[in-house]
Amino acid sequence: MRSLNKLKRHAVSTLLFSGLLVSLQLKADTTCSINCNIDVLFQGVYNDETCNISVNSGTYSETVLLPTISTSALKVSGSEAGNKNFDITLKDCPSDRIVTVKFISNLSAADTDTGNLTNTTGAEYSENVQVRIRKENGTQVVIDDATSGQDYAIPSAGGDVTHQYTASYYAKGSDAVTAGKLRSLAGVELVYK
């Protein structure tokens, strides 16, 4: 069933890799009062063809550390600074398939206006700053946008496939970016086609 999308979840520090969904449907006859028969239909998909994930040639649980920068680099809303490259490698995938990596906001909030991840709030955290992610071709990864994913073409002979991404600080709003910490978590959904 190539038309069904199958997902796989792995928990990580800065990236969460998302997983297999199973649906459950219940159907009941609500008109009976004694000795009722209830039909229950269970549906699901078992997928033994999954990819192993590596971030920056490590495990699936790696942290991407952005460089320390001055707030003066983010004076204007829409400014980007402090780029950091990171790789996501898919290993041991089913051969001759396309697997799409899509970033989602299941662990940190996303800004629907900018498509970026928002920063953690609190006394120690920087204000008016977000995290923007770009694909290796420079286009922005829009968080929670199904059309913004990166396709991984798995060859018929199998093998590892790697794509590079860039994360950066992004200034958002008319108020100045304040000094402080940045902590944001992204989820990544693998969609098998």
Side-chain angles (χ1 to χ4, degrees):
M1 289 193 228
R2 289 174 91 60
S3 65
L4 291 177
N5 289 334
K6 300 170 192 159
L7 312 175
K8 178 172 173 64
R9 287 186 199 266
H10 294 282
V12 296
S13 299
T14 56
L15 304 172
L16 175 72
F17 297 89
S18 174
L20 183 67
L21 297 178
V22 178
S23 66
L24 168 65
Q25 269 186 331
L26 297 178
K27 178 184 169 189
D29 182 358
T30 57
T31 60
C32 65
S33 58
I34 300 175
N35 297 327
C36 298
N37 291 327
I38 299 173
D39 297 328
V40 179
L41 171 64
F42 294 93
Q43 292 181 322
V45 175
Y46 173 72
N47 183 16
D48 60 357
E49 298 178 335
T50 58
C51 297
N52 291 313
I53 302 160
S54 171
V55 178
N56 288 336
S57 299
T59 67
Y60 63 86
S61 182
E62 300 294 323
T63 300
V64 177
L65 296 173
L66 296 178
T68 301
I69 64 168
S70 169
T71 56
S72 64
L74 297 170
K75 284 185 178 180
V76 178
S77 183
S79 299
E80 285 183 63
N83 295 343
K84 178 66 176 182
N85 293 336
F86 65 99
D87 296 329
I88 297 178
T89 302
L90 299 184
K91 302 177 176 190
D92 307 318
C93 293
S95 61
D96 203 25
R97 298 280 293 273
I98 300 292
V99 180
T100 301
V101 170
K102 179 184 118 180
F103 288 80
I104 58 175
S105 64
N106 59 342
L107 293 176
S108 287
D111 184 322
T112 56
D113 292 331
T114 63
N116 298 329
L117 292 167
T118 59
N119 192 16
T120 300
T121 57
E124 298 179 348
Y125 292 95
S126 178
E127 295 177 5
N128 305 314
V129 68
Q130 300 178 346
V131 176
R132 174 160 282 180
I133 301 171
R134 292 188 179 277
K135 295 186 251 186
E136 61 193 352
N137 67 3
T139 59
Q140 179 186 354
V141 172
V142 178
I143 307 301
D144 295 327
D145 183 348
T147 65
S148 185
Q150 174 66 58
D151 285 342
Y152 285 65
I154 311 303
S156 58
D160 301 350
V161 180
T162 301
H163 284 286
Q164 186 177 78
Y165 300 85
T166 302
S168 63
Y169 299 98
Y170 180 89
K172 165 73 188 299
S174 56
D175 294 331
V177 171
T178 63
K181 296 179 182 179
L182 175 94
R183 182 175 186 270
S184 191
L185 303 173
V188 175
E189 196 170 78
L190 299 185
V191 181
Y192 298 81
K193 299 177 182 177

